[in-house]
Amino acid sequence: MAKEIPTTSMSAKEERAGVLAALQIKPGELKRTGLLFLYLFLASVIFTTGRTARDALFLSNYPIDWLPYMFVGFGAGSAAIMPLYAWLVDRYRRDRFNAIYALVLSATYVAAWLLVTFKWRPIYPILYIWVEITSNLLIVQFWTLANDLHDPREAKRLFGVIGSSRMIGIVVCGLSVGAVVGMIGTPALLLGNAIFLVGLAAVVALIGRNFLSGPQVAKVVSARTDSIAGASLWRSSYVLLIIAMIVATFVAATLGDYQFKAIAREHYTGEKLAAFFALFYSLVGALAFFFHFFVSSRLLARFGLLFGLMVMPALMGLSSIALLITAGAVAAAVALKLSDNAFQFTINDSALQLLYYPFPARLKARLKATLEGAVKPLSYGAGGLILAFLATPLGAVGLSWVTLPFIGVWIVTLVFLRTQYLKALINSLAGKRMDPGGIDLMPTPEVVEALKDATHSDNNFVFQFAFDELTKLAPDEAQRLAVDLLPKPERKKAALKRLA
């Protein structure tokens, strides 16, 4: 028996090492990755529980005609809060700010629960807007901190595993809330979020204590204080097309969200409505998890950027048509909302990240912050204004006649974006504006085409970078190109050396 103990112990260690290797987690990274996984899991649970509670409470206490003004309120509220939020977040260490934010938000959930308990009617629209703004900021805070703790190569290895906790959280939360909300009541979900937020603050404190000390703090602070001029950014046709795509995306998504909730309200109310939303979000999480791990990257690598960005509008368009044909069937409404929620954060988001490749790291961060913090919520607000004028005369089903033209604009914009993306990618290579150490290219047909063109550049930096990336992403293409370099002995030699 004494001889079996070390054998069993070694077997357990080997199994653990095998799991870590499969997940691409190095032994020294396990604690950090585990804490970040838990952080995003809790943020996802809070996000999903908050949305479930606020949707059910608002739709059970206010007429559906009020819903468009909630979208407008979210857009206006986000635009008003973001400057103050940006001013505050730059004055505190990242982990401390996030922990304090979570505790303050926990207190607001307790206050909201008390006001709901005492049936103070104005709390329902206030809660609707507050939950949307603050929950989105929770996710933004997480990814900002996660980026501070990883270099680009670590992020490439680990963010897929860490990011999966968001989808797992949605599934677990949806199934749990759907099972218990009938027993505890919808208002109790607000207290549950208050407790989860205290737990989240404790996790953030552990991350700060273990991984944000000494020189790492200085690194985080210096990264925040660095700025880059980008006045010409907003005059770029490429950036303007991205903005047009985002506006069309989220106006259409807002209209679809209204249609889904209006049709759901016709069939469910009270705790049944909360349970319906919870189960729907669990379905979203399960589908998103499957696409995240098994579909998104393969589709993008095989069919390219345009196909990846077309999936969401194509499915939303088909669902909108189905809604018209079925005269508002619940299944068609669920399909419409699934087309948004399940694909927005998987293949659509993965493809959207490819559009940022041509920008330098700091300019990329600035652009994403503006698009996420201003353009996106203002697009929701624009969708709300459209609903305010058209929802009542057209009805939930008739709004598909408005949604479909926006989806059409969205698709046309994507066709132009693909061409501009290739031009921007090649121009950035030629101008040395891409950081070779920080780039994480995906072997889509567009990227391979741009890299092949770049290998014919007279600029040696561009040639070396492009050929190195081709060697990693498309070795067969690199082999074929090496033959084309015969008239240029120096480049031929360099190419063969890299291939070897």
Side-chain angles (χ1 to χ4, degrees), residues 41 106 139 161 207 249 255 295 307 330 358 391 443-444 491:
F41 176 85
S106 175
I139 305 297
V161 173
I207 292 170
T249 299
L255 299 177
V295 179
F307 182 89
V330 175
T444 63
R491 289 196 171 181

Side-chain angles (χ1 to χ4, degrees), residues 401-422:
W401 295 113
V402 183
T403 306
L404 286 168
F406 276 100
I407 292 172
V409 171
W410 182 358
I411 290 171
V412 171
T413 303
L414 294 179
V415 175
F416 286 103
L417 251 179
R418 182 187 184 276
T419 304
Q420 290 295 320
Y421 170 70
L422 288 171

Side-chain angles (χ1 to χ4, degrees), residues 157-476:
R157 279 191 297 108
L158 299 172
F159 277 9
V161 173
I162 293 169
S164 68
S165 63
R166 181 173 187 180
M167 287 153 276
I168 293 170
I170 293 172
V171 174
V172 171
C173 178
L175 293 174
S176 302
V177 169
V180 304
V181 70
M183 295 180 284
I184 65 174
T186 306
L189 298 179
L190 301 175
L191 277 184
N193 258 10
I195 295 167
F196 288 134
L197 280 159
V198 173
L200 185 144
V203 171
V204 175
L206 279 173
I207 292 170
R209 187 183 309 157
N210 286 279
F211 305 107
L212 278 172
S213 58
Q216 277 191 296
V217 176
K219 178 183 175 184
V220 172
V221 174
S222 64
R224 289 201 310 267
T225 55
D226 189 29
S227 62
I228 185 169
S232 62
L233 180 71
W234 308 107
R235 294 193 295 270
S236 160
S237 58
Y238 179 57
V239 172
L240 292 176
L241 279 170
I242 294 176
I243 292 172
M245 180 200 70
I246 288 174
V247 171
T249 299
F250 291 104
V251 168
T254 302
L255 299 177
D257 188 40
Y258 175 90
Q259 291 176 283
F260 168 70
K261 288 171 181 173
I263 291 169
R265 188 177 180 272
E266 290 174 4
H267 293 81
Y268 306 100
T269 187
E271 273 65 56
K272 288 184 179 179
L273 185 60
F276 171 76
F277 284 139
L279 290 173
F280 169 78
Y281 286 126
S282 69
L283 178 61
V284 166
L287 191 58
F289 184 86
F290 175 77
F291 261 78
H292 178 73
F293 278 105
F294 303 110
V295 179
S296 294
S297 59
R298 289 176 174 84
L299 282 180
L300 288 170
R302 177 67 180 86
F303 298 107
L305 173 73
L306 182 63
F307 182 89
L309 288 170
M310 284 283 190
V311 170
M312 183 176 161
L315 291 175
M316 285 190 70
L318 290 172
S319 300
S320 293
I321 293 169
L323 204 60
L324 289 169
I325 293 171
T326 61
V330 175
V334 167
L336 178 61
K337 188 61 177 170
L338 270 178
S339 304
D340 172 8
N341 281 18
F343 297 102
Q344 183 186 149
F345 301 111
T346 52
I347 190 167
N348 195 74
D349 192 54
S350 297
L352 182 60
Q353 300 313 308
L354 300 179
L355 295 177
Y356 296 119
Y357 278 168
F359 303 104
R362 290 184 295 274
L363 195 56
K364 183 190 301 183
R366 184 179 184 181
L367 177 63
K368 289 175 75 172
T370 303
L371 296 179
E372 289 289 322
V375 176
K376 181 177 172 180
L378 287 174
S379 301
Y380 278 115
L385 286 173
I386 292 169
L387 287 168
F389 288 101
L390 298 178
T392 300
L394 292 179
V397 177
L399 280 169
S400 288
W401 295 113
V402 183
T403 306
L404 286 168
F406 276 100
I407 292 172
V409 171
W410 182 358
I411 290 171
V412 171
T413 303
L414 294 179
V415 175
F416 286 103
L417 251 179
R418 182 187 184 276
T419 304
Q420 290 295 320
Y421 170 70
L422 288 171
K423 291 179 181 178
L425 196 61
I426 294 169
N427 289 339
S428 292
L429 284 169
K432 300 185 184 181
R433 294 192 294 272
M434 297 176 83
D435 174 17
I439 197 166
D440 180 18
L441 290 174
M442 181 178 286
T444 63
E446 296 91 350
V447 169
V448 172
E449 184 181 337
L451 290 173
K452 285 166 62 180
D453 288 344
T455 58
H456 298 295
S457 169
D458 293 330
N459 186 315
N460 281 328
F461 168 84
V462 175
F463 163 73
Q464 290 171 5
F465 172 73
F467 197 84
D468 280 345
E469 290 299 317
L470 267 178
T471 303
K472 292 184 288 185
L473 301 177
D476 291 342

Side-chain angles (χ1 to χ4, degrees), residues 87-97 100 224:
W87 182 82
L88 285 171
V89 78
D90 279 340
R91 280 155 178 77
Y92 296 92
R93 207 173 82 171
R94 197 85 73 196
D95 58 311
R96 292 173 183 167
F97 179 86
I100 293 168
R224 289 201 310 267

